[in-house]
Amino acid sequence: METPADPLARLREAIDRLDREFIRLLADRLRAVREIGDHKSRNKDAVLRDDDRERALFEMWAREAESQGVSAYFAGRVLREILNWSRRDQERFLEPDAAGGAGARSARVGYQGVPACYSDLTIGKVFATRDVARLERVGFRSFAAAIDALEAGAIDYALLPIENTIAGSINEVYDLIGHRPVTIVGEEVWPVEHCLLGLPGARFEHLRAVRSHPVALQQCGKFLDALVGVVSESFHDTAGAAQAVAREGDPGIAAIASEEAAREYGLVVLKRDISDQATNLTRFLLIGRQPEPFDARRPAKTSLVFSVNHRRGALLECLKSFDAQGINLTKLESRPRANAPWEYQFYVDLEGHIADARVQAALEEVRAHTNHLKVLGSYPRRIESERERRIPEAAPVEAPAAATATPATAAAAPPAAPRNPNLKLCGLKEDGRRSRIDVSGVEFGGERFVLAIGPCAVESLRQMMESADLAKRHGAAMMRGGAFKPRTSPYAFQGLGFPGLDMLVEAGRAYELPVVTEVLHPEDVERVAAGADMLQIGARNMQNFALLKEVGRARRPVLLKRGMSATIEELLLAAEYIMSGGNHRVVLCERGIRTFETATRNTLDVSAVPVLKGRTHLPVIVDPSHAAGLRELVIPLALAAAAAGADGLLIEAHPNPAEALCDKDQALTGDDLAKLTASLRPILAAQGRSL
Ligand code: PEP
Ligand code: MN
């Protein structure tokens, strides 16, 4: 008997149809991209990456998306993926024997592990855009065994991991490349997404053991700690652990590995995303026997190892040689030398090809200061530079006046101030150099003006998602939101606490915005620091010394707000408390002080900005929202802060201010934010800065 179609099934059918259409369009787009690639390979003068064209594309996508009611931010993310893939795909035309060329080559690639381990998956990524007709993958028990096979000619390449963003460098691989007659010919990055895998039908509550590579177990430490009574067992690799679970058929044992490993070995994913840290990237090196030529238009990277003469300043001289040639180093690491106690060698990655005149000139000089130097290889750079990552967000250049204007730092020349001997750490440095504070990739105190936007309080996940969308659309580099609210009245909304923190973190992750949130109690610092990217000390707690000491021990940067009745000197001494505890990543925030004036919630002390700049090297931002207390006043105060030389703004905004549970009168709307950024741009441009 025919049953009426289930409405859910019908809807899913419609989705499937749309997805197929989507894929067909992607394929059409890729074909057009290939024609462009073919054109570029024949026209050696064509630029490979056209920044203006990319920017225009992002703008077009944003406009189209918004007009269709789709989040411009998410549309931008999709475009970013498509462009990444298109660029890679075009590379096949740039191989020396490409342009519809041979295509008959086969490649045997060795890796350490078993099928579906992260190295194996990355091989797929590396060779997806190389013109090889037949790809053969060979798993080895150890890194050394793979290199042995490469040297012996049994394989053409080895793909080995060199570093992980959580665990650090893989020294054994460095040592192998440094000592064997092999060369680096490529790099690749794989985003590691650990999953808990079990047998079909396995139940969480029946688990007795979890197996994986020790590094993977460590990276999922928090998740494993919560599994009471379950033991962790070290295994030589992640996919190998999955393979063993499948072979033994015991539902009480699970493995930590990739989702692909689950598919490979017939396991199911019991839980996704179990890493302690959201960003977990592994960088791999493709190692060959001979250097491989590649199109000179592709950005190149070169890796070296050297040890310096035992002489004062030798390392500094080496670094200066690179700097003198304008060469950017992307990595510098030191390692003890084998069998030479207390001697070190340095591993350097730099931007440029060994054949570049500037690289040659720098190496010529470096050789004079080293007693051993080996070039490990030049290869196409896969990790985007800071500038390349920023292209899509870059704002259109306005204000022709900008060309002749002086930079902000010069405009806000610090007035001479008497030196306070107690400001040992936060006081201005002898050479006048200012600190740049990194907060999960956002820099305070650099050329870019930082906007941290978000609601006063976290109210719900939905409100936070909408707030993140609002913030992202209006140029925010960070998001704010209070989970713990210090309220003047005990009867006012006190915040959602830790569940609120989770919502803030989730929304921040979804929109790739680092988050800042206030911490009220010393005993909460560690737990708040586990989720938030930056810890805020509120005005009411500026002199809560127990709290200052605790954040001084934390591994997160701190946003320190000026107390409403605190002098500038007291603010700096509070910063000194934090820094003397070991945490030097402090950003100061002027947020208005108590005066006799009642027309505003507080009086914004604009003069605090240049005064602070004359006394401390720390970045200074301004919170016009709490100074004003009224929406209409926020924009003019924000502009004054930027003109006075502030490094950024902390702004309260709400998707629906009328319904805000806290500080609704000062919350900006999307329209207000658009006005704010439009007025800020020319001010910043005149100072040689940007959003
Ligand atoms: C806030 O920024 O959430 C806040 C409470 O501000 P302040 O500590 O400056 O009053
Ligand atoms: Mn507030």
Side-chain angles (χ1 to χ4, degrees):
M1 187 184 74
E2 284 273 309
T3 50
D6 168 7
L8 192 60
R10 255 189 298 119
L11 289 170
R12 286 189 173 145
E13 247 173 57
I15 296 253
D16 289 350
R17 257 197 316 279
L18 287 168
D19 282 352
R20 273 192 288 273
E21 179 66 8
F22 201 30
I23 292 165
R24 194 187 59 71
L25 288 171
L26 275 178
D28 281 352
R29 193 183 191 285
L30 204 55
R31 269 188 285 279
V33 164
R34 285 184 183 151
E35 280 177 36
I36 293 180
D38 188 35
H39 173 85
K40 285 181 184 168
S41 78
R42 272 194 267 271
N43 294 275
K44 293 296 178 198
D45 297 333
V47 288
L48 286 192
R49 191 165 173 174
D50 182 342
D51 296 358
D52 292 336
R53 163 75 184 152
E54 276 189 27
R55 197 170 293 126
L57 258 185
F58 273 96
E59 278 164 11
M60 188 268 276
W61 271 62
R63 269 196 315 276
E64 288 290 320
E66 297 235 298
S67 74
Q68 303 275 343
V70 173
S71 154
Y73 170 67
F74 281 114
R77 266 199 356 201
V78 172
L79 177 61
R80 210 185 318 159
E81 280 302 316
I82 293 177
L83 290 185
N84 278 343
W85 182 253
S86 304
R87 265 195 300 274
R88 270 164 181 271
D89 194 77
Q90 281 188 352
E91 283 167 11
R92 75 172 72 231
F93 294 95
L94 301 172
E95 283 185 57
D97 52 0
R105 284 190 299 151
S106 67
R108 286 161 304 167
V109 188
Y111 63 97
Q112 188 267 321
V114 297
C117 68
Y118 292 110
S119 303
D120 181 30
L121 300 175
T122 310
I123 290 175
K125 191 172 173 188
V126 172
F127 285 89
T129 52
R130 286 186 162 225
D131 237 1
V132 290
R134 225 170 59 82
L135 179 64
E136 192 188 322
R137 302 149 188 243
V138 191
F140 290 91
R141 268 197 77 81
S142 65
F143 298 138
I147 294 290
D148 287 343
L150 177 64
E151 269 189 60
I155 52 175
D156 304 305
Y157 300 102
L159 187 92
L160 304 182
I162 190 72
E163 62 183 308
N164 173 269
T165 52
I166 302 178
S169 284
I170 294 137
N171 294 324
E172 190 190 338
V173 174
Y174 258 130
D175 291 343
L176 282 168
I177 309 170
H179 291 110
R180 304 290 194 94
V182 293
T183 181
I184 306 172
V185 297
E187 69 170 356
E188 190 52 88
V189 174
W190 186 266
V192 173
E193 288 166 6
H194 290 311
C195 298
L196 186 73
L197 312 181
L199 288 172
R203 301 257 301 272
F204 233 74
E205 54 278 24
H206 296 155
L207 288 183
R208 288 179 281 109
V210 174
R211 286 179 185 166
S212 197
H213 189 278
V215 170
L217 293 170
Q218 200 187 334
Q219 292 176 346
C220 303
K222 283 198 192 126
F223 169 76
L224 291 171
D225 284 348
L227 297 180
V228 182
V230 175
V231 296
S232 300
E233 294 177 0
S234 282
F235 230 73
H236 56 279
D237 74 278
T238 55
Q243 190 184 41
V245 167
R247 199 175 43 223
E248 288 166 32
D250 178 347
I253 304 177
I256 294 177
S258 64
E259 184 160 5
E260 288 84 352
R263 274 200 291 277
E264 176 84 23
Y265 299 109
L267 299 179
V268 295
V269 174
L270 301 177
K271 191 154 172 54
R272 269 193 184 75
D273 254 347
I274 57 174
S275 281
D276 294 352
Q277 287 184 40
T279 307
N280 184 352
L281 305 171
T282 299
R283 178 174 166 238
F284 289 85
L285 296 178
L286 186 66
I287 301 161
R289 281 184 296 273
Q290 300 291 335
E292 291 185 353
F294 56 92
D295 193 292
R297 289 168 295 180
R298 289 175 72 182
K301 200 162 163 181
T302 297
S303 296
L304 320 165
V305 56
F306 61 80
S307 50
V308 294
N309 299 331
H310 241 305
R311 198 168 45 71
R312 209 190 84 212
L315 176 63
L316 184 63
E317 290 303 325
C318 292
L319 298 182
K320 276 193 203 153
S321 313
F322 293 119
D323 189 52
Q325 296 295 337
I327 294 169
N328 186 37
L329 304 188
T330 57
K331 177 170 180 167
L332 170 64
E333 174 153 345
S334 76
R335 286 254 304 127
R337 289 183 61 188
N339 304 318
W342 320 122
E343 287 192 25
Y344 299 88
Q345 49 190 11
F346 299 92
Y347 288 93
V348 164
D349 287 350
L350 54 88
E351 286 180 5
H353 194 283
I354 188 71
D356 295 350
R358 292 214 275 191
V359 176
Q360 297 248 324
L363 289 187
E364 192 79 10
E365 276 191 46
V366 167
R367 280 202 170 89
H369 306 286
T370 57
N371 44 33
H372 166 78
L373 186 151
K374 184 180 178 196
V375 176
L376 303 177
S378 285
Y379 46 93
R381 174 160 60 79
R382 266 281 176 245
I383 298 171
E384 293 191 309
S385 68
E386 175 60 19
R387 190 191 62 82
E388 288 164 340
R389 263 197 298 276
R390 277 170 22 188
I391 286 169
E393 298 130 65
V397 189
E398 323 178 21
T404 53
T406 40
T409 40
R419 269 191 185 282
N420 179 339
N422 287 323
L423 303 180
K424 296 186 203 310
L425 299 169
C426 75
L428 212 55
K429 297 179 191 165
E430 286 294 335
D431 60 5
R433 276 218 277 199
R434 316 205 143 270
S435 290
R436 294 178 173 213
I437 309 285
D438 175 83
V439 182
S440 305
V442 173
E443 188 182 66
F444 284 84
E447 286 80 33
R448 292 188 98 195
F449 189 80
V450 177
L451 281 182
I453 300 177
C456 180
V458 177
E459 299 164 9
S460 67
L461 182 58
R462 178 168 174 187
Q463 171 240 15
M464 288 317 294
M465 286 295 202
E466 289 174 4
S467 298
D469 191 63
L470 195 67
K472 194 85 195 187
R473 266 192 289 140
H474 294 99
M478 286 189 64
M479 175 157 67
R480 61 151 291 148
F484 301 92
K485 295 305 302 175
R487 303 304 298 276
T488 306
S489 157
Y491 307 115
F493 175 58
Q494 305 283 314
L496 298 179
F498 286 108
L501 175 66
D502 292 342
M503 295 170 194
L504 172 71
V505 171
E506 185 173 341
R509 276 192 187 169
Y511 284 82
E512 295 180 329
L513 289 167
V515 296
V516 54
T517 198
E518 180 162 355
V519 57
L520 288 179
H521 300 290
E523 59 272 27
D524 288 349
V525 168
E526 200 181 323
R527 213 169 138 199
V528 174
D533 299 277
M534 190 179 207
L535 303 170
Q536 178 171 323
I537 299 295
R540 290 158 193 79
N541 273 318
M542 191 202 82
Q543 287 190 317
N544 179 340
F545 300 113
L547 187 59
L548 296 179
K549 284 185 190 163
E550 197 57 44
V551 297
R553 281 190 281 269
R555 282 165 200 270
R556 290 286 187 194
V558 176
L559 181 63
L560 176 65
K561 299 189 85 173
R562 178 180 179 185
M564 57 193 88
S565 305
T567 64
I568 288 174
E569 192 82 355
E570 286 163 343
L571 170 63
L572 289 171
L573 285 165
E576 193 72 21
Y577 255 98
I578 299 171
M579 295 173 80
S580 64
N583 188 350
H584 287 222
R585 289 192 290 165
V586 178
V587 175
L588 304 173
C589 180
E590 159 62 36
R591 47 78 73 202
I593 51 177
R594 274 272 158 88
T595 66
F596 54 83
E597 183 54 72
T598 54
T600 46
R601 183 173 172 179
N602 292 280
T603 297
L604 180 66
D605 182 8
V606 182
S607 37
V609 177
V611 171
L612 281 167
K613 294 258 164 177
R615 298 191 188 188
T616 176
H617 55 86
L618 297 174
V620 179
I621 69 165
V622 166
D623 169 358
S625 304
H626 289 91
L630 286 172
R631 181 170 307 117
E632 295 72 39
L633 299 177
V634 173
I635 296 179
L637 296 186
L639 299 181
D647 296 300
L649 294 168
L650 183 69
I651 302 269
E652 286 190 352
H654 197 284
N656 187 357
E659 283 178 12
L661 295 181
C662 190
D663 287 351
K664 60 162 75 137
D665 297 333
Q666 67 196 38
L668 299 194
T669 62
D671 286 348
D672 297 328
L673 289 171
K675 276 187 216 131
L676 170 65
T677 49
S679 326
L680 262 179
R681 282 208 172 95
I683 294 178
L684 296 174
Q687 301 169 329
R689 301 193 290 171
S690 64
L691 269 187

